[in-house]
Amino acid sequence: MIAAATDPRYTPDSRYAWVRLALSLLLATVACVGSWSVVVALPEVQREFGTLRGLASFPYTCMMIGFAAAAIGMGKLTDRYGIVVPILIGAVSQGLGFIIAGFAPSILVFALAHVLIGIGASIGFAPLIADISHWFRQNRGLAVAITATGNYLAGALWSPLFQSLISSHGWRWTHIAVGCFVFVFMLAMAGFFRRRAARDLTQAAAVAARGRALGVSTNTLLVALAIAGFGCCMAMAMPQVHIVAYCADLGYGAARGAEMLSLMLALGIFSRIGSGFLADRIGGLSVLMIGSFMQAAALFLFLWFDGLTSLYIISAIFGLFQGGIVPMYALVAREYLPPEQAGGKIGIVITATILGMAVGGVASGWIFDYFLSYRMAFLNGLLWNGVNLLIVGWLLLRRRDAGGQPVAQTA
């Protein structure tokens, strides 16, 4: 524990906590560019290297593997040393990855460079979420959701900018320029996050009591959340990863697809903030169930409508429905699992969601290559979403049967 953290100016829910939250959102918005750049560049990269859609989707999978692999390790580093060390590692990794991608002579090198990009981008999600969760009690759900919003804000802002830069300067120059910018920006931001929050043993006891009330062991809950998160993001990956290519296939052009992705993620921002606000009142599990059900409804709509106007509308609906889901997994982990292990445990849960996105992205590409249509890919997403709903519903029933407290504002 750092002595300065006991200063009233630097306690949970203080003015400093809100300033730190704003800086976390800014850092996440820049750091998470690597989560979306590969989606926008997919059609141009596929065209230059002359590959099938499944192989062209492989760089996205590599990025998500790097993101997932780093989430656990960076989370544990955050628990032990604070967030600064992961930020520095992320700056070097992502900057180098973008530059290598810009000079890539083959799709394989381009894909492997995205492992480094994913490692760097991971700093903008699970580690920052774990860090900010220690700085709030009364508004923890909202703070977690706002920090997680940086990932979607990155998609909403960077997607059209990245597409514009590719159109005017080519995808290679764009990757090199963005890599240099991200490297400098993340290094400059690291110094603002040196202070660490004090650990409160009474709050740790409250979390332990809530976990016992749920009626499942820590390991069982962790595994259940991981499987549910994987299934949820297998479903989520289809529209998010392939909407640009889907629009290009339908003849609407990649630019229209990038606009839909931007719209999807922009409205997902409102969903995330709203979900965090609601979670502070009814609990993360309840909000998770609502979001998962509504995501299934939106995926169902994609099966029946493919007109340009329809796709804009459904993309907006999808963003509003699913935007708050992933932060709720982090919040549930924070509500029921030991706070001193927050970085590592949240990292495990988030890693499962990332792997779901990674596998879902490439699986949708393979399904498209086999059927020459995305219809079966949407159906595959609905199936995995059903797995997620079953697990979250089971946890909700156990909480109610045990009389578990749904609200986690005191931990």
Side-chain angles (χ1 to χ4, degrees):
M1 182 186 302
I2 295 177
T6 61
D7 188 318
R9 294 173 298 176
Y10 304 109
T11 55
D13 300 297
S14 63
R15 178 181 295 181
Y16 170 80
W18 288 99
V19 171
R20 191 180 182 98
L21 175 58
L23 293 174
S24 296
L25 176 60
L26 177 60
L27 178 59
T29 301
V30 174
C32 288
V33 58
S35 299
W36 307 105
S37 59
V38 65
V39 178
V40 178
L42 190 153
E44 291 296 324
V45 171
Q46 180 183 4
R47 185 178 301 112
E48 176 163 335
F49 291 123
T51 66
L52 293 175
R53 184 65 48 78
L55 184 56
S57 302
F58 185 57
Y60 178 85
T61 299
C62 287
M63 182 276 295
M64 295 302 274
I65 289 172
F67 198 116
I72 299 175
M74 295 300 183
K76 291 182 177 180
L77 283 175
T78 301
D79 288 335
R80 186 167 184 177
Y81 301 110
I83 193 66
V84 172
V85 172
I87 292 173
L88 295 176
I89 294 173
V92 174
S93 176
Q94 187 157 209
L96 185 61
F98 267 110
I99 293 171
I100 293 174
F103 287 106
S106 67
I107 188 67
L108 179 59
V109 175
F110 184 80
L112 293 177
H114 277 75
V115 175
L116 291 174
I117 292 174
I119 291 172
S122 72
I123 307 309
F125 206 70
L128 276 178
I129 288 174
D131 176 76
I132 203 64
S133 73
H134 294 297
W135 288 96
F136 287 87
R137 292 175 189 161
Q138 296 180 351
N139 298 288
R140 179 175 294 143
L142 182 61
V144 164
I146 288 174
T147 303
T149 294
N151 179 264
Y152 271 13
L153 192 58
L157 297 178
W158 281 103
S159 294
L161 176 59
F162 214 81
Q163 178 63 45
S164 177
L165 290 172
I166 288 175
S167 298
S168 58
H169 299 286
W171 67 267
R172 292 184 180 276
W173 180 92
T174 298
H175 279 77
I176 294 169
V178 170
C180 292
F181 170 77
V182 171
F183 172 73
V184 172
F185 184 89
M186 291 180 69
L187 283 183
M189 287 290 290
F192 293 104
F193 291 87
R194 289 176 296 176
R195 190 176 299 277
R196 299 182 66 181
R199 298 293 195 264
D200 189 334
L201 296 179
T202 62
Q203 304 307 322
V207 171
R210 197 159 43 244
R212 289 192 298 270
L214 188 61
V216 296
S217 69
T218 295
N219 288 337
T220 299
L221 177 59
L222 193 60
V223 170
L225 290 175
I227 295 173
F230 179 87
C232 148
C233 290
M234 280 285 292
M236 194 182 298
M238 174 53 230
Q240 287 191 358
V241 177
H242 289 273
I243 190 65
V244 176
Y246 185 39
C247 286
D249 291 341
L250 292 172
Y252 302 134
R256 300 288 80 76
E259 289 173 359
M260 290 178 198
L261 177 61
S262 180
L263 176 65
M264 187 187 298
L265 301 178
L267 292 175
I269 293 170
F270 293 98
S271 174
R272 288 197 164 176
I273 295 174
S275 295
F277 181 83
L278 187 61
D280 284 328
R281 286 149 182 81
I282 67 173
L285 271 175
S286 297
V287 177
L288 182 56
M289 186 67 179
I290 294 170
S292 299
F293 177 80
M294 298 307 287
Q295 175 176 267
L299 284 170
F300 183 76
L301 292 176
F302 273 111
L303 288 170
W304 301 103
F305 303 95
D306 62 4
L308 182 60
T309 301
S310 299
L311 287 174
Y312 273 107
I313 294 172
I314 298 171
S315 294
I317 293 172
F318 185 79
L320 285 172
F321 285 171
Q322 57 79 44
I325 296 177
V326 173
M328 290 305 102
Y329 283 105
L331 183 60
V332 171
R334 186 63 177 82
E335 287 177 347
Y336 292 99
L337 298 174
E340 68 276 9
Q341 301 172 18
K345 301 299 186 186
I346 290 175
I348 291 171
V349 175
I350 295 300
T351 292
T353 67
I354 295 163
L355 289 175
M357 290 292 292
V359 176
V362 74
S364 295
W366 288 336
I367 291 171
F368 174 86
D369 288 338
Y370 186 82
F371 291 100
L372 298 180
S373 168
Y374 277 121
R375 185 174 182 83
M376 292 303 297
F378 281 119
L379 287 172
N380 177 66
L382 278 170
L383 176 65
W384 281 101
N385 200 97
V387 173
N388 168 52
L389 282 170
L390 286 174
I391 294 174
V392 175
W394 172 70
L395 290 174
L396 270 173
L397 288 174
R398 291 197 65 86
R399 189 189 72 185
R400 290 170 182 171
D401 290 344
Q405 172 57 255
V407 182
Q409 294 182 351
T410 59

